Amino acid sequence: MNYIFLMCSERSGSNLITKIFDSHSQICGPSTAHIADVLCPNLYKYGSFNELTWRSLVEDINVLLDSKNAYWKKTFTLNDLLQASESFSVHQLFDYIYSSEAQSHDKTSVMIKENRIYEFLPFFMQLSPFANYVYMVRDPRDMAASWKHSYSIRGGAVRGAKVWLADQLGFLKARSWLGNDKVPFFKYEDLLQNPEETITKACITIGYNFQPEMLNFYQQAATKENASRAADWRNVDKPLQKDNAGKYSDRLTKAEIQYVEFLCKDLMAAFNYIPAFPLISEEEFIELEKSLLAIEPNVKAAYENETSEAEKLRRKSHHGRSKEIFDKKIDWIEFS
């Protein structure tokens, strides 16, 4: 299986670009199941694998797959997953999962979208040493605005801006390790304004031909199904909206914009995002952060009032098992 890994922050068009590549005749772009970003940072907690620890891991993966919001064509049973690797190889298990989904669509490549892949890049490099990577960035103010007004993601502009900064630093480091010339980079705003040119350049860099059907992603049945399963994915079944940039001025307060612009100032300059306001002082920034954090929401009213019960149940199950994995205690010590 040929792998493509996406470097892109949440609320930055990651679902959109995945669906665009999913519309390529060779590439399967399943909506994220949030498996790797939960399991990879915690694999060490399972210790060396034997029958017992392997089953524990596979049971966790099975729950994560069963409770994903994403629609996948392939379904998995616990027995399927247990038999996927006789040698207790996590890489082989992951390959089985993603290859099975790609093959169910008669595709030879798969694009994987997971959060913070820079944190577990060595895992992916072992899974697929010759994989391709694609990097897309969005204006941090628009990302923070989308984060603030999302249904399911906790927090507002402050948390969104901090995630944006950490992600871009991580992606830029990972891109330099992989080779800048080998990892196509483009801005979300370029995608909206010049979609065919932007996607064509990205495809050529990773060895694929642009196909016009890629820009008709919103017509795909799987895209429509995924748009119906999660409130935050509602727009992925619509054509590209050229005016969906620079909306932060109406969706963030002046204080929130100033906060984002100070926190992200260096990388904003590097990406050529122009500040809307004069830069505040560090003292003003510290006070601003305190006041904004005090009013950032945990669970949002829109999530409680406008999200389907089915989505809430899936999220509750997925979040519950994810929390158990992150809270898992290390009860083993190994010496060589």
Side-chain angles (χ1 to χ4, degrees):
M1 184 58 56
N2 301 312
Y3 283 90
I4 306 166
F5 295 104
L6 178 62
M7 299 179 179
C8 185
S9 297
E10 289 185 272
R11 311 313 303 165
S12 295
S14 56
N15 292 304
L16 170 65
I17 196 67
T18 303
K19 292 301 128 191
I20 289 174
F21 275 90
D22 184 54
S23 297
H24 192 285
S25 63
Q26 296 173 264
I27 303 171
C28 175
S31 293
T32 183
H34 292 296
I35 305 171
D37 64 345
V38 175
L39 265 299
C40 287
N42 294 290
L43 280 177
Y44 70 96
K45 296 178 181 177
Y46 295 87
S48 296
F49 287 116
N50 52 43
E51 292 285 349
L52 183 62
T53 55
W54 180 252
R55 185 178 184 88
S56 175
L57 172 75
V58 173
E59 286 177 346
D60 286 339
I61 291 177
N62 188 52
V63 171
L64 295 177
L65 284 169
D66 281 348
S67 59
K68 67 185 183 301
N69 266 315
Y71 162 76
W72 283 24
K73 190 172 183 179
K74 171 70 177 178
T75 57
F76 301 91
T77 67
L78 178 59
N79 194 51
D80 290 335
L81 299 173
L82 286 170
Q83 294 181 357
S85 175
E86 294 180 357
S87 60
F88 303 147
S89 168
V90 183
H91 294 96
Q92 191 174 6
L93 177 57
F94 270 69
D95 184 61
Y96 166 74
I97 292 169
Y98 287 103
S99 295
S100 296
E101 177 62 12
Q103 290 164 3
S104 72
H105 292 273
D106 296 319
K107 304 285 186 80
T108 57
S109 302
V110 61
M111 171 175 270
I112 296 181
K113 175 226 163 181
E114 290 277 2
N115 298 329
R116 308 179 312 281
I117 70 167
Y118 49 85
E119 290 186 355
F120 37 90
L121 186 62
F123 179 88
F124 282 149
M125 293 181 75
Q126 280 190 292
L127 173 67
S128 182
F130 302 105
N132 288 299
Y133 295 78
V134 174
Y135 176 23
M136 184 172 77
V137 67
R138 186 183 191 183
D139 187 317
R141 296 161 296 188
D142 277 328
M143 187 269 212
S146 181
W147 192 290
K148 175 183 176 181
H149 294 281
S150 70
Y151 291 84
S152 61
I153 302 179
R154 301 175 189 275
V158 171
R159 186 173 182 183
K162 288 184 175 181
V163 169
W164 184 92
L165 181 60
D167 280 353
Q168 306 329 307
L169 291 172
F171 293 146
L172 288 169
K173 290 174 184 176
R175 186 171 183 248
S176 71
W177 299 333
L178 295 163
N180 289 333
D181 59 327
K182 297 178 182 178
V183 181
F185 163 78
F186 53 93
K187 294 160 73 170
Y188 174 79
E189 297 78 17
D190 295 334
L191 174 65
L192 298 185
Q193 294 301 314
N194 301 293
E196 183 170 341
E197 178 184 352
T198 302
I199 297 301
T200 297
K201 288 180 179 178
C203 284
I204 290 173
T205 303
I206 61 175
Y208 295 85
N209 293 321
F210 170 79
Q211 296 178 351
E213 293 80 7
M214 297 176 77
L215 299 183
N216 295 324
F217 63 93
Y218 56 92
Q219 298 176 352
Q220 300 293 322
T223 300
K224 293 180 181 293
E225 176 64 26
N226 275 290
S228 71
R229 290 174 66 88
D232 282 323
W233 297 347
R234 287 178 181 175
N235 289 331
V236 296
D237 65 347
K238 297 178 175 59
L240 288 171
Q241 303 172 44
K242 287 192 173 184
D243 63 346
N244 193 32
K247 292 188 173 182
Y248 66 86
S249 57
D250 296 323
R251 307 185 75 199
L252 295 179
T253 65
K254 179 181 178 180
E256 288 170 330
I257 296 171
Q258 289 177 306
Y259 176 86
V260 176
E261 291 183 345
F262 182 92
L263 182 71
C264 305
K265 58 184 181 297
D266 292 337
L267 286 185
M268 280 186 63
F271 292 130
N272 199 30
Y273 289 122
I274 308 303
F277 297 104
L279 201 64
I280 60 177
S281 68
E282 186 169 357
E283 292 75 15
E284 290 173 316
F285 170 78
I286 293 171
E287 290 303 314
L288 194 55
E289 182 173 73
K290 290 179 182 178
S291 62
L292 291 175
L293 281 174
I295 59 173
E296 288 226 328
N298 189 20
V299 178
K300 298 174 181 176
Y303 178 78
E304 295 295 331
N305 300 328
E306 301 177 39
T307 304
S308 71
E309 291 303 315
E311 180 182 348
K312 288 179 182 176
L313 286 172
R314 288 193 296 269
R315 288 192 179 278
K316 183 178 180 180
S317 176
H318 199 285
H319 176 72
R321 183 54 63 99
S322 298
K323 188 176 186 306
E324 288 178 12
I325 294 170
F326 275 98
D327 291 344
K328 185 179 179 70
K329 302 298 183 184
I330 304 173
D331 56 3
W332 52 267
I333 298 176
E334 296 173 341
F335 298 96
S336 58

